[in-house]
């Protein structure tokens, strides 16, 4: 049909893909376990794709279990790392995933509907690919306004080639987005264009050679 199957499958609007995922604790914990495993495997590579030691306060928006934040805390011990996620996600993360001794803080909120706390660097890991360009631009502009001058945003996504003919795994990720979400995987130039439209500049792209790549942009 050329469009997502979310509403047909779950009977819920497709504009909030996480309604069904977070409809029960069991489903939410399954999803959180998947996110946790991704960053246990690839987290170190993406947080060290660029030297982020100049950013003192880092907020991982939609940081889920804190697995990626843990990797950042290990790589940049002088920085303060905070996971910002929905209240139910924060509660489950603190209940089911060990947070002892890593120095990572948690803060509840909704980055689409509420205020975003001030920081030097915002991390969006596998967030932008979930949404339409319109929603992504609104979020990135909101982050730009909250970001301190000289600060930045780090996007962590699986990047398509510019000709969109690979990598195969990223094309499969994009098919998954078509089936169940509003978004899609994008090429480096598409992410760069969105970041520039949002006010960010000095966009740098790093292909890590692993499942996920990194894009850093500065305000």
């Amino acid at each position: 049909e050329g469009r997502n199957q979310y509403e047909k499958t779950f009977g819920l609007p497709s504009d909030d893909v996480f309604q069904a995922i977070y409809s029960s604790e069991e489903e939410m914990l399954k999803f959180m376990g998947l996110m946790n495993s991704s960053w246990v495997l690839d987290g170190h590579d993406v947080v060290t794709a660029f030297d982020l030691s100049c950013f003192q306060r880092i907020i991982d928006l939609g940081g889920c279990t804190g697995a990626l934040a843990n990797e950042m805390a290990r790589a940049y011990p002088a920085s303060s790392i905070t996971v910002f996620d929905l209240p139910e996600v924060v509660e489950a993360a603190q209940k089911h995933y060990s947070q002892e001794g890593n120095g990572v803080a948690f803060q509840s909120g909704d980055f689409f509907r509420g205020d975003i706390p001030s920081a030097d660097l915002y991390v969006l890991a596998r967030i932008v690919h979930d949404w339409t360009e319109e929603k992504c631009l609104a979020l990135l502009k909101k982050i730009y306004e909250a970001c301190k001058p000289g600060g930045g945003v780090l996007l962590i996504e699986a990047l398509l080639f510019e000709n969109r003919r690979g990598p195969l795994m990223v094309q499969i990720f994009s098919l998954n987005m078509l089936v169940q979400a509003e978004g899609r995987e994008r090429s480096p130039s598409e992410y760069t264009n969105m970041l520039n439209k949002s006010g960010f500049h000095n966009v740098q792209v790093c292909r890590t050679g692993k499942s996920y790549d990194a894009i850093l942009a500065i305000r």
Side-chain angles (χ1 to χ4, degrees):
E1 295 177 359
R3 57 187 176 86
N4 77 62
Q5 301 296 298
Y6 194 84
E7 190 162 0
K8 182 184 289 187
T9 304
F10 297 110
L12 294 167
S14 62
D15 60 353
D16 190 348
V17 296
F18 294 98
Q19 271 188 274
I21 294 173
Y22 293 164
S23 62
S24 71
E25 185 175 22
E26 181 184 4
E27 289 301 315
M28 182 170 66
L29 288 175
K30 283 181 184 177
F31 177 75
M32 292 176 73
L34 171 63
M35 294 298 98
N36 194 73
S37 299
S38 296
W39 303 130
V40 168
L41 291 171
D42 293 337
H44 176 77
D45 296 273
V46 291
V47 302
T48 58
F50 303 102
D51 181 3
L52 306 176
S53 59
C54 60
F55 300 109
Q56 186 175 3
R57 177 162 169 71
I58 301 173
I59 295 182
D60 185 1
L61 296 170
C64 204
T65 65
L68 184 65
N70 290 342
E71 293 295 335
M72 297 197 81
R74 279 193 281 269
Y76 309 105
S79 299
S80 116
I81 319 291
T82 300
V83 171
F84 186 87
D85 214 319
L86 297 170
E88 59 268 35
V89 176
V90 168
E91 182 181 355
Q94 293 177 320
K95 179 179 177 182
H96 295 283
Y97 293 89
S98 174
Q99 311 296 333
E100 294 181 9
N102 58 13
V104 173
F106 280 78
Q107 183 175 344
S108 297
D110 185 329
F111 52 71
F112 276 121
R113 297 181 176 91
D115 293 332
I116 296 175
S118 178
D120 302 304
L121 179 71
Y122 294 91
V123 180
L124 288 172
R126 301 296 280 153
I127 302 292
V128 175
H129 79 138
D130 286 326
W131 309 102
T132 63
E133 182 168 337
E134 182 182 13
K135 270 192 176 176
C136 293
L137 284 172
L139 177 58
L140 289 170
K141 287 175 182 176
K142 192 173 185 179
I143 291 170
Y144 179 84
E145 292 301 323
C147 189
K148 293 179 179 179
V153 60
L154 178 71
L155 305 186
I156 298 171
E157 298 286 353
L159 297 177
L160 285 167
F161 296 148
E162 288 296 342
N163 63 10
R164 311 185 67 78
R165 295 185 177 182
L168 177 60
M169 185 56 68
V170 185
Q171 291 174 316
I172 292 172
F173 286 161
S174 202
L175 178 61
N176 181 48
M177 290 297 99
L178 171 64
V179 171
Q180 69 173 25
E182 290 189 313
R184 59 187 176 85
E185 309 304 336
R186 296 174 171 93
S187 65
S189 63
E190 289 177 292
Y191 284 114
T192 298
N193 185 48
M194 280 199 292
L195 287 162
N196 288 335
K197 281 183 179 179
S198 305
F200 291 98
H201 61 90
N202 192 23
V203 180
Q204 303 173 66
V205 177
C206 178
R207 290 189 180 270
T208 66
K210 304 290 280 293
S211 298
Y212 304 106
D213 306 303
I215 302 175
L216 178 66
I218 303 300
R219 171 169 179 173

